[in-house]
Amino acid sequence: MKKFKLFCLAIFSFSYALYAQNGNYGMGARSAALGGASLTLGDEWSLYNNIGGLAAARDKAIFTSIKNKYGLTEFTSLAFGGIYPIWGGTAGLGVFRFGDELFNEQRLNLGFSNQFGIVSLGLNIGYYQLNVEGAGSRKTLLIDFGGRAKLTEQLYFGAHVSNLNQARLSKTTDERIPTIMKTGLSYRPGNDLMINLEVEKDIDQDAVFKIGLEYYVIDQVVLRTGFHTQPFESSFGIGFTPGKINIDYAYNNNPDLGGIHELSLVYRFKD
C-alpha cells in the first residue's frame, strides 16, 4: 500500500511539473482549517486568499506560514508577508514558494485594498516564476481582483478572481495558469460563531464546494472545522490569540494521499 501511495505521489508530482500549480495559491492555517472557505475573512491572509478583504486588516503586521502535504518535503509551501495601512486602505507584500530544487514555484505578491461604504475592493499583482530542473524557468505576471461586502451585521459576501489576465507560461503550447473564480457567503449570528459557504470554479474544471465553521471557545481560543470537494478533504484546526500574536494550526485529510499540516504565525504592531 505504501509503494502504491508513493507511486501515486510520483505521478502527481510529474503532472504538477507539467502543468504548473493548480492556480490556487491560498495560504494561512485559518483558511485551511475552514476547508478553504475564507473569501469573507478580513485578515492578513487576505493578501493570499481574497485581496478584497485586506482593507479590514487595519494593524501593521508581519506573518508567515508553512504547509506540508503528505509528509513529503518536496510538497512543502512557505509564505511570508507584511501589511501596512496607507492611503485610506491597506497595502500588502508577500512571498510564496512551493517545491524543492528539482521543481519549484515562486510568487511575489503586491496588493492593495480599500473600503467603499459596505464594500471593500482589492487588486493583487503577482510576479510568478516556475523552475524545472533540465527544462529551465518560466516567468509571468498574474492579476487577482476581489471584493468583500458587509450586507448586514450577520451576513457577509465575498468574490474573487485569480489570474484575471489568464497569464500564459508558453506561447508555443499556449499553456496557461488556471483562472479561478470564487464566491461565497458568511453567516455570523454572534461574535463567537461563523459559518462560511463557498463555490470555487476553475474555468476548465468541475466546481468545488466548501464549508467552514469557526467557534470561539473563549476569547483567546478558537476551534475550526470544514471540508471541500474535488477532491474531498476534511479539515480541522485551532487558533490562539495571546495579545499581539496569532498562532493557527490546521490539518486537512485526503483519504487517498494522507494528511496536510499547516502552521501560521501573525504578529501585529498594535499601539
Side-chain angles (χ1 to χ4, degrees):
M1 181 65 185
K2 185 176 181 180
K3 291 182 178 179
F4 177 73
K5 182 182 291 188
L6 291 175
F7 173 76
C8 292
L9 289 172
I11 295 299
F12 173 74
S13 181
F14 178 72
S15 300
Y16 207 92
L18 285 177
Y19 299 108
Q21 167 69 288
N22 59 9
N24 192 335
Y25 300 94
M27 288 292 288
R30 184 187 184 192
S31 172
L34 293 169
S38 56
L39 277 178
T40 57
L41 302 184
D43 60 15
E44 296 79 9
W45 290 105
S46 296
L47 180 64
Y48 288 85
N49 301 317
N50 178 10
I51 187 61
L54 191 64
R58 299 303 298 162
D59 292 316
K60 296 184 290 291
I62 55 175
F63 46 98
T64 187
S65 190
I66 180 170
K67 175 165 58 178
N68 177 260
K69 294 184 177 183
Y70 324 127
L72 297 175
T73 57
E74 297 85 357
F75 285 6
T76 297
S77 299
L78 297 169
F80 178 82
I83 63 169
Y84 193 91
I86 190 172
W87 300 325
T90 304
L93 179 67
V95 178
F96 169 91
R97 176 183 168 90
F98 169 86
D100 59 6
E101 294 181 357
L102 297 178
F103 172 83
N104 62 76
E105 294 178 286
Q106 301 171 73
R107 178 171 173 171
L108 177 67
N109 287 344
L110 178 61
F112 181 77
S113 179
N114 208 346
Q115 190 78 33
F116 305 94
I118 66 169
V119 177
S120 61
L121 300 174
L123 187 70
N124 203 3
I125 298 177
Y127 177 76
Y128 172 85
Q129 179 174 286
L130 170 68
N131 297 301
V132 181
E133 186 172 299
S137 64
R138 299 175 185 177
K139 307 174 182 68
T140 189
L141 289 177
L142 306 176
I143 298 175
D144 303 337
F145 178 77
R148 175 179 181 262
K150 184 178 180 180
L151 303 179
T152 69
E153 289 298 323
Q154 292 81 31
L155 192 64
Y156 289 74
F157 170 79
H160 187 259
V161 181
S162 60
N163 188 25
L164 181 65
N165 57 318
Q166 295 186 300
R168 186 164 49 187
L169 285 172
S170 172
K171 294 182 179 179
T172 304
T173 63
D174 199 37
E175 178 187 352
R176 298 176 184 266
I177 295 174
T179 295
I180 297 177
M181 298 171 286
K182 306 176 187 178
T183 186
L185 291 171
S186 177
Y187 177 59
R188 306 175 186 184
N191 293 329
D192 58 347
L193 179 63
M194 178 177 69
I195 303 170
N196 295 347
L197 300 172
E198 290 184 15
V199 179
E200 174 184 309
K201 183 70 172 70
D202 179 333
I203 58 176
D204 296 320
Q205 303 292 334
D206 294 334
V208 177
F209 297 92
K210 307 175 184 180
I211 185 169
L213 185 148
E214 180 177 85
Y215 176 71
Y216 274 86
V217 181
I218 57 176
D219 286 345
Q220 296 183 347
V221 180
V222 57
L223 299 178
R224 305 180 180 106
T225 188
F227 70 85
H228 66 74
T229 62
Q230 305 293 339
F232 180 86
E233 289 182 357
S234 57
S235 59
F236 70 87
I238 187 169
F240 302 95
T241 57
K244 299 179 180 181
I245 299 175
N246 271 31
I247 304 171
D248 295 300
Y249 168 77
Y251 176 80
N252 290 54
N253 180 53
N254 184 304
D256 298 318
L257 298 175
I260 303 171
H261 300 267
E262 185 167 1
L263 181 65
S264 301
L265 177 67
V266 177
Y267 182 82
R268 299 188 180 97
F269 297 89
K270 296 182 179 180
D271 296 331

